[in-house]
Structure formats: C-alpha cells, structure tokens
Amino acid sequence: MASEKNKRIPCEIVAIQEGKTWDNVVVQRKVSKKRLFFGKAKKDASINVGDPAYLEIEVMPSELPETPLRVTLYDMNDTKIDWTIIQPKQFDVGR
C-alpha cells in the first residue's frame, strides 16, 4: 500500500469539446492556473464550463526515476469524469 494519501486539488472546468464517442475536457487549477486535458469524458457527464471540480492524485508504483501520477477528475458531487496519467513536472501537483 502507498503511504501517501490521494491528494484532492480544486480546479475549474474551462473547456468542453464534444467528440463522436467522448467529450474532451480541460480543467485549470485555481492556484497555479496550470491546465490539464482529459480526452475521454463520458458524454452523459453533467458538467459545464465554469463548474468547480477537483482532481485526485495517486502516485503509481514505478521503477522509473520520476514516478508517474494517475490524475482523476471528479465533479463536486464526487462523480468520476475521466482520468489520465502524467509526469509530476507536467502539473506541479505539490504546489
């Protein structure tokens, strides 16, 4: 088991683009203003541009020098919207 608890990071939905199968969602962190793209949001997700949301960060087991992070996007009702895997330097999750 990982000793670190999953971090919750507040963000805001800044763009939603409808695709054929999935919606693309862009969120922006409230503090750093950094953005993160999610490419497989379910079409039935009840989210809109400007809605508050949060990201949950999970450190993944890895033998790489920089441990990848699994980032999951949730709406304010704790409904999972989408997830992605990033490198920590892409998003400054510690700040």
Side-chain angles (χ1 to χ4, degrees), residues 36-78:
L36 190 59
F37 173 82
F38 292 88
K40 285 192 166 184
K42 294 177 184 171
K43 288 196 151 294
D44 62 354
S46 56
I47 55 171
N48 296 294
V49 172
D51 283 355
Y54 70 90
L55 303 170
E56 194 168 272
I57 310 296
E58 178 185 353
V59 177
M60 299 181 66
S62 173
E63 295 177 7
L64 300 173
E66 191 172 36
T67 305
L69 303 173
R70 179 182 167 120
V71 181
T72 307
L73 173 64
Y74 292 90
D75 68 11
M76 296 313 288
N77 297 317
D78 296 326

Side-chain angles (χ1 to χ4, degrees), residues 7-8 10 12 20 24-25 31-35 39 48 53 57-59 70 72 80 84 86 91 94:
K7 288 184 164 188
R8 282 188 168 196
E12 179 181 338
K20 289 183 180 178
N24 299 321
V25 177
V31 176
S32 69
K33 304 297 183 200
K34 288 206 174 196
R35 292 182 175 200
N48 296 294
I57 310 296
E58 178 185 353
V59 177
R70 179 182 167 120
T72 307
K80 182 177 172 180
T84 190
I86 64 168
F91 206 58

